Amino acid sequence: MSHIRIDNLTKVYMGRRSRPRNIHDPEEHFGDNILVLNDITLGFEEGEMVCILGPSGCGKSTLLRIIAGFEPPTNGTVRVGGQVVSAPSDQSIFVFQQGGLFPWMTVYENVGLGLRHIRDAATKHERIQEYVEMVELEAFEDYYPHQLSGGMQRRVELARALAVNPDLLIMDEPFSGLDFLTHMKMREEVVNMHEFLRKTTLVVTHDIDDALIMGDRIVVLSGRPSAVKLMHALNFPRPRDFEKNPGLSRLRSEIFLMLGVPYAV
Ligand SMILES: Nc1ncnc2c1ncn2[C@@H]1O[C@H](COP(=O)(O)OP(=O)(O)OP(=O)(O)O)[C@@H](O)[C@H]1O
Ligand SMILES: [Mg+2]
């Protein structure tokens, strides 16, 4: 059984002026309602890293929010581990699109946020340290987010998410706003962590190369109203290299074309 099962998922954001008469109306706008996701059916396996691509505004963040239980679907269901999602759960965690760290808390306190349920102080301390070390920030435990670089802040977010030991890790554009080198290093870190921990991970990215280098599976969504354009398992050996792997390069060109860029850069 799939770890995540999405069946006939449709999402309409209701405008203030009208209610939808027919959510399957082929017209994108009816009144000022917006049909964002249109009849999406997908299944992801336990432990997979799934990368989701699609044009800006197509509903990627909406899809993640629905899977995480922050947003109700208009139609259809999402099941995680067989259970229908109807509210946010402690077992899944969201790495937010933009800096989700609390500025008034240190690195140590931010990483400890998801561990409030651990009563034993020593166990909790050990767990926080383990994950701070995993992202190599042990010298910065007492720093506040504003004293860290953008890349270091992302690593704290990652440590915080992983420390919870969630069944499902959800990341919305985890590398946005990072410089090229930090982006490459963080990507490698996420791939290594995934190899090590094997958590089911969903990553939304607008970067086709990120998706092809990281994913065990790739999903390409169309422009709004969004439907699944491509769902493809990536059975390429790691570490992945476009130059050494013509199959991967070909897929890259196909996806560029699919997203409206005829000549892959
Ligand atoms: N809470 C909301 N209420 C009404 N409309 C919304 C809401 N959230 C998103 N939308 C609309 O839904 C559409 C999809 O938004 P979403 O943020 O899911 O797109 P996205 O694919 O993540 O875009 P991007 O790549 O730019 O992050 C947009 O047209 C947006 O205006
Ligand atoms: Mg988004």
Side-chain angles (χ1 to χ4, degrees), residues 27 35 43 83 92 117 178 180 194 217 229 240 248:
E27 289 293 311
L35 174 59
Q83 301 287 318
S92 66
H117 59 285
L178 297 178
F180 181 77
H194 181 254
R217 187 184 292 273
K229 240 179 159 173
R240 292 184 181 153
L248 195 60

Side-chain angles (χ1 to χ4, degrees), residues 106-121:
T106 62
V107 166
Y108 185 92
E109 289 164 342
N110 266 293
V111 174
L113 258 183
L115 305 176
R116 279 159 298 182
H117 59 285
I118 301 181
R119 298 250 177 269
D120 181 52

